[in-house]
Amino acid sequence: MSNKIPVTVLTGFLGSGKTTLLNRILSEEHGLRIAVIENEFGEIGIDQDLVINADEEIFEMNNGCICCTVRGDLIRILTELAERKDQFDRVILETTGMADPGPVAQTFFVDPAISKLYELDGIITLVDAKHVSTHLDESTDEVMAQVAFADRIILNKADLVSTQDMSNLKTRLQDMNQMAGFYSATMADAPISELLDIGGFNIQRAMDMKPNFLEPEYPFEWGGIWQLPAGQYHFQFANGPDPDMAFLLSNVSNK
């Protein structure tokens, strides 16, 4: 049995019901000690009745859980949170509405310190059954990624659509992700027991979708400094990545 801390990533567009589900999980009597990481705390946020003291970045809640916010580096906050691992059993990480969950999931595999401490248990995606078709029709990258990477998909606001429309939506999403478990819900009332302890994020599916999933991403492929006489120059670089860390320089003109 793994002694790593299980992490559940909760994703979905703003208004899909992420925070409603999160507050349900925090409020129900399930005996779990949960650490919550929120990217959007203070905007849509956790039920303030659950908060005892929010003076620190990591703070206590009155149901025994603890909470923190990510306004910077996820790796840093996960490392700091691990110093309090005796206070919680698992982590739920709520992403921003426009987040691609891929880079978040990647964190738990490519960073040695984090992969030693944590285990990605699964990704839960909430879908606004009433409005998601608009995003799907537009092939919005973030929505496509949220559906494709999900281990569980909750079709929320089921009361706002017809049975036929819900069936059509489910079929459409299953074409995008045949491995996920699907649940219809009103006010995000999906069964919590089916959302936690999934047993592990499906990394093979992630690799199938994105072969370089486990390769670290860098903001730049190459950097360099040139000392040039005064004048105007035009630099043209080839598309990366370049395994030799070389560069292509062409059409250089001194005017």
Side-chain angles (χ1 to χ4, degrees):
M1 181 176 180
S2 174
N3 60 355
K4 296 181 181 180
I5 303 167
V7 179
T8 299
V9 175
L10 188 58
T11 188
F13 259 37
L14 185 65
S16 61
K18 297 191 305 296
T19 303
T20 301
L21 175 61
L22 182 58
N23 282 318
R24 275 194 58 233
I25 294 174
L26 291 175
S27 301
E28 291 192 6
E29 296 182 5
H30 41 56
L32 298 173
R33 299 182 304 164
I34 300 172
V36 178
I37 301 176
E38 275 209 300
N39 270 328
E40 295 175 318
F41 182 78
E43 297 177 17
I44 54 178
I46 288 175
D47 185 350
Q48 292 300 298
D49 291 339
L50 297 176
V51 176
I52 292 179
N53 183 354
D55 291 337
E56 302 179 15
E57 187 173 27
I58 300 176
F59 54 88
E60 183 183 0
M61 302 173 69
N62 67 13
N63 59 352
C65 299
I66 58 178
C67 185
C68 55
T69 61
V70 176
R71 292 195 174 91
D73 182 28
L74 175 60
I75 293 176
R76 176 186 61 81
I77 199 66
L78 285 168
T79 302
E80 292 180 5
L81 198 58
E83 296 174 359
R84 306 189 185 200
K85 62 181 181 181
D86 59 324
Q87 296 181 247
F88 61 92
D89 305 310
R90 64 186 312 114
V91 173
I92 295 180
L93 195 165
E94 180 185 358
T95 69
T96 60
M98 290 296 290
D100 176 348
V104 176
Q106 186 189 55
T107 301
F108 298 94
F109 296 96
V110 302
D111 186 275
I114 296 303
S115 63
K116 183 178 180 180
L117 293 167
Y118 295 93
E119 180 178 40
L120 182 57
D121 182 58
I123 295 178
I124 302 171
T125 296
L126 277 95
V127 169
D128 181 339
K130 178 71 173 178
H131 300 104
V132 72
S133 293
T134 300
H135 299 298
L136 295 174
D137 291 341
E138 296 172 352
S139 296
T140 306
D141 290 342
E142 292 79 10
V143 167
M144 306 298 278
Q146 289 172 2
V147 172
F149 276 100
D151 296 289
R152 300 285 187 270
I153 296 176
I154 300 175
L155 307 177
N156 199 29
K157 305 183 181 181
D159 55 321
L160 301 181
V161 298
S162 68
T163 302
Q164 185 60 54
D165 286 343
M166 179 63 81
S167 177
N168 293 342
L169 175 59
K170 182 177 179 180
T171 299
R172 185 175 185 180
L173 295 177
Q174 284 177 323
D175 288 340
M176 299 167 58
N177 184 340
Q178 298 180 2
M179 301 298 292
F182 284 79
Y183 302 88
S184 298
T186 299
M187 295 299 292
D189 59 351
I192 293 176
S193 61
E194 298 291 327
L195 306 180
L196 304 179
D197 294 321
I198 291 174
F201 171 69
N202 193 327
I203 190 170
Q204 184 56 55
R205 189 174 71 244
M207 295 287 290
D208 291 341
M209 292 186 297
K210 187 178 180 182
N212 63 342
F213 176 75
L214 293 181
E215 296 178 12
E217 297 181 3
Y218 302 100
F220 303 101
E221 290 290 344
W222 192 91
I225 300 175
W226 294 269
Q227 184 174 356
L228 302 170
Q232 295 182 352
Y233 297 85
H234 175 70
F235 292 86
Q236 181 176 342
F237 289 84
N239 291 329
D242 186 338
D244 298 323
M245 298 301 288
F247 64 91
L248 173 66
L249 179 59
S250 62
N251 297 331
V252 179
S253 61
N254 188 337
K255 300 181 180 179

